[in-house]
Amino acid sequence: MLLDLLGDAALIASSAYLFGRNKFITQCVLQPTRPRNFVTLVAIFSALSIIGTYHGIPVEDALANTRLVGTLIGGIMGGPWVGGTVGLISGTHRYLLGGFTAEVCGISAVIGGLMAGFARQRRGINRLDWKAGALLALVGEFVQKSLVILFAKPFEAAVSLEKAIAVPTTVVTVLGTIIFITIIKDLQSSREAHRADAAELSLEIASRTLPYLRQGLTEASAVKTAQIIYELTKVDSVSITDAARVLAFVGAGDDHHRVGEAIMTQSTHKSIQEKRLVVMYTPEERGCPVADCPLKSGVVAPLFVHGDEVAGTIKLSRKEINGVSEVDIRLADGHAHLLSVQIQLAEGDKQKKMREKAEFKALQAQINPHFLYNTLNTIMSFCRTSPETARNLLAHLATLMQRCFDNRTEFISLKNEMDGIVAYLEIAKVRFGSRLAVDIDIDPTLEQAQIPPLTLQPLVENALDHGLFPKVSDCRLTINGRLTNQGMLLCIQDNGVGISPQKLAGLMTESERIGVKNVSQRLKSLYGEPYGLSIASHPDAGTQATIRIPFESKVSA
């Protein structure tokens, strides 16, 4: 009898393997109270229980069977509602078959399903291991056999029946429950391990491709990215396209899928047009027009920017028909999401740089109209009284105008920057009169040091206009430059009216202070930490702006 009942264990093991590999059933187990999931689980485990009954062995007008295994597993997988319903259906079926134990076995099936379901509800599906399953099976068998002995009539027949079937049915029920739970847990662990491997692979690909994709989706960045993905995923080919052309192709088929040429395969066009992931299991689904193309299957996923706008695709291909695996599909989908995020970040960087460049151009062209008007009026007034002064002022104004319109290089020498500042200060002295005293002390070794254009001048203008001009007298401006172990240290200090803490906190971000804000943003973008601009100020105690940047010298020809 034991060997006959053990035949059902093979069915239980096969069922566990099939259930564990099915995504839909796994989703049903995780959310068993949803109507569709509930109906699915009840149908599956009721069928398993009824099959166990039909495979039962007749013994003294009763059946030795494995029905309780399906009922218990139904409760463990689906909770009390599923377990109770499975028990009710399989118990009713057993009752209709007749026999002196029919009523008792039908009731015990309901009790077993509810008991297993409440155990799942109390402990959770992840904490019910094979030991818990074995205990539930022992308790379920004990309850069923106790009910048979207590309530089945005649009593002598019930006792004789249990003497004959108690051990084999209990062994098979316990063993079947253990086998089912063990297989499910092993498949779950294997699936989680694959997910962990895929996640680790995706992170490695993301970290290695980030430096290239932050340059945007170009042929150069796409080729580097495709090579990295090809090396790490071990697929037969990797291709990356924009919306019309092949940007990179690495692996089998690169003799006709050429970089720079139009997209050939219908599957890639379909992914772009329908804005979705497309899986190809046959050459016909790939849609390559080249008859002897070695690639037979694959998966292609769109790359998105600006919401749902398709910027391109990534495709992983295999040489075998039906060669694409679930792992390949997940990798392609995951890589597409990662690459899309990186491309969008690159677009953001590009837009930021364009905005900063536009602000810089505005700063270059920015000559305060009042400053220009007052300077011209001053020059006109000196034309008769002091022609030499007028000529000097015109020369200084010409230097400023030239710097505003001719600065087109990314870096200039510190001496060049200071020439413009000196010209500006000579004009400003006319406005300030005897109130302004300027002290410039720059280390001669820094004269050819390279700095971004208009790094110091906006800070000097800010010191004069907002710090010193409101003062009645004793206006002092100091400009220092020295070389330290950490790089160049450039300081612009005034003894003006200072800046309130509230205004100081927003000085780097206020749009109306485009000069100071632009200087700070450009230095951060170019040099990063610990370099940049810092400003310290106290009301009525003056302001000090300090710039710390690396020392890069360029010898004059």
Side-chain angles (χ1 to χ4, degrees):
M1 181 185 297
L2 178 60
L3 293 177
D4 291 334
L5 291 175
L6 283 175
D8 290 342
L11 175 64
I12 294 169
S14 301
S15 301
Y17 182 78
L18 294 175
F19 296 163
R21 295 188 63 85
N22 189 286
K23 283 185 177 181
F24 174 65
I25 295 178
T26 301
Q27 188 63 34
C28 291
V29 171
L30 295 175
Q31 297 176 312
T33 56
R34 288 188 175 183
R36 185 177 69 165
N37 299 353
F38 172 80
V39 171
T40 300
L41 293 176
V42 168
I44 289 172
F45 292 109
S46 294
L48 192 61
S49 297
I50 290 172
I51 291 172
T53 300
Y54 272 125
H55 284 186
I57 301 171
V59 178
E60 298 182 13
D61 196 27
L63 288 173
N65 58 72
T66 59
R67 177 185 60 258
L68 191 58
V69 176
T71 307
L72 291 171
I73 296 299
I76 292 172
M77 296 290 109
W81 286 104
V82 171
T85 305
V86 170
L88 181 63
I89 292 173
S90 62
T92 301
H93 172 262
R94 173 64 187 91
Y95 173 76
L96 294 176
L97 293 178
F100 76 96
T101 62
E103 296 89 346
V104 174
C105 289
I107 294 171
S108 63
V110 176
I111 294 174
L114 288 173
M115 177 185 67
F118 283 119
R120 176 229 163 100
Q121 189 177 67
R122 182 178 180 84
R123 290 177 60 88
I125 183 67
N126 292 325
R127 295 176 62 190
L128 286 176
D129 55 11
W130 69 269
K131 296 177 182 178
L135 179 61
L136 286 171
L138 282 172
V139 173
E141 280 290 343
F142 176 79
V143 169
Q144 177 171 276
K145 296 182 185 321
S146 298
L147 292 176
V148 168
I149 292 175
L150 290 175
F151 297 105
K153 304 298 181 183
F155 175 77
E156 292 79 8
V159 171
S160 176
L161 172 67
E162 291 304 331
K163 284 182 179 180
I165 70 171
V167 173
T169 54
T170 300
V171 169
V172 173
T173 299
V174 172
L175 185 61
T177 305
I178 290 175
I179 290 173
F180 193 99
I181 292 178
T182 300
I183 292 175
I184 291 292
K185 290 290 184 180
D186 285 345
L187 290 172
Q188 184 181 27
S189 299
S190 176
R191 188 161 51 245
E192 289 175 352
H194 280 120
R195 287 176 180 172
D197 291 341
E200 184 179 354
L201 180 60
S202 296
L203 288 174
E204 184 176 357
I205 290 174
S207 64
R208 289 180 59 177
T209 58
L210 180 60
Y212 305 109
L213 286 174
R214 288 303 291 266
Q215 304 168 15
L217 188 59
T218 64
E219 282 190 12
S221 64
V223 167
K224 290 291 186 181
T225 300
Q227 289 172 342
I228 291 170
I229 295 175
Y230 178 76
E231 172 191 342
L232 294 177
T233 59
K234 308 301 182 185
V235 294
D236 294 317
S237 77
V238 176
S239 64
I240 297 176
T241 73
D242 59 16
R245 299 179 305 113
V246 177
L247 298 179
F249 196 100
V250 182
D254 59 359
D255 57 328
H256 57 277
H257 294 285
R258 297 186 181 92
V259 172
E261 296 185 356
I263 297 171
M264 298 178 63
T265 56
Q266 293 301 314
S267 54
T268 302
H269 286 296
K270 183 177 181 180
S271 178
I272 293 173
Q273 292 167 3
E274 299 182 4
K275 301 181 178 181
R276 66 178 181 87
L277 182 142
V278 175
V279 182
M280 307 84 67
Y281 294 101
T282 64
E284 291 74 21
E285 291 177 348
R286 282 196 82 251
C288 180
V290 178
D292 59 349
C293 180
L295 302 173
K296 309 300 183 184
S297 60
V299 54
V300 56
L303 307 177
F304 292 102
V305 294
H306 308 141
D308 63 346
E309 179 183 344
V310 177
T313 65
I314 177 172
K315 179 187 285 186
L316 309 182
S317 299
R318 295 286 187 181
K319 292 181 179 180
E320 303 83 14
I321 295 176
N322 295 321
V324 61
S325 66
E326 183 68 25
V327 174
D328 293 335
I329 297 172
R330 288 183 180 177
L331 283 175
D333 192 34
H335 296 339
H337 284 295
L338 287 171
L339 298 182
S340 296
V341 169
Q342 292 175 344
I343 293 169
Q344 292 183 60
L345 289 174
E347 287 288 320
D349 287 346
K350 182 179 178 181
Q351 294 296 326
K352 181 181 178 182
K353 289 179 179 178
M354 290 175 62
R355 185 170 60 252
E356 290 179 354
K357 186 175 182 180
E359 289 182 354
F360 178 54
K361 292 296 183 183
L363 183 63
Q364 283 184 310
Q366 182 182 20
I367 297 180
N368 190 306
H370 295 291
F371 171 79
L372 183 60
Y373 178 77
N374 291 334
T375 300
L376 291 174
N377 277 340
T378 302
I379 292 173
M380 289 174 61
S381 68
F382 278 115
C383 283
R384 292 183 180 179
T385 59
S386 179
E388 185 65 25
T389 302
R391 281 195 296 270
N392 290 335
L393 290 176
L394 274 173
H396 295 316
L397 181 61
T399 300
L400 279 180
M401 297 287 288
Q402 183 182 16
R403 284 177 51 76
C404 287
F405 297 116
D406 288 350
N407 268 336
R408 306 196 184 279
T409 59
E410 188 175 358
F411 293 95
I412 62 172
S413 67
L414 179 58
K415 182 180 183 302
N416 191 329
E417 178 84 354
M418 289 304 302
D419 288 343
I421 291 174
V422 169
Y424 177 81
L425 290 174
E426 289 300 323
I427 296 173
K429 285 179 181 179
V430 176
R431 182 165 59 126
F432 276 83
S434 60
R435 290 188 299 153
L436 178 63
V438 178
D439 180 22
I440 298 177
D441 182 16
I442 303 292
D443 187 338
T445 60
L446 300 181
E447 283 190 354
Q448 296 304 319
Q450 300 297 294
I451 66 172
L454 294 176
T455 296
L456 299 179
Q457 185 171 322
L459 304 178
V460 172
E461 293 178 10
N462 191 68
L464 293 182
D465 294 339
H466 301 286
L468 295 175
F469 193 73
K471 288 192 67 175
V472 176
S473 62
D474 187 28
C475 300
R476 295 192 305 277
L477 178 70
T478 303
I479 303 175
N480 292 319
R482 56 191 176 88
L483 186 62
T484 69
N485 292 333
Q486 289 76 37
M488 284 192 295
L489 198 64
L490 306 172
C491 297
I492 295 98
Q493 185 172 4
D494 66 72
N495 65 338
V497 297
I499 307 172
S500 67
Q502 293 80 8
K503 287 187 177 181
L504 184 62
L507 189 61
M508 302 296 190
T509 57
E510 291 177 0
S511 58
E512 62 269 17
R513 296 290 181 87
I514 184 173
V516 176
K517 182 187 72 169
N518 188 276
V519 169
S520 176
Q521 289 179 342
R522 282 190 293 139
L523 294 179
K524 283 183 179 179
S525 176
L526 285 170
Y527 303 114
E529 297 292 341
Y531 303 107
L533 169 65
S534 61
I535 297 179
S537 183
H538 298 282
D540 301 320
T543 301
Q544 177 174 303
T546 303
I547 291 176
R548 186 186 301 276
I549 58 177
F551 174 66
E552 297 178 9
S553 179
K554 183 177 181 181
V555 179
S556 299

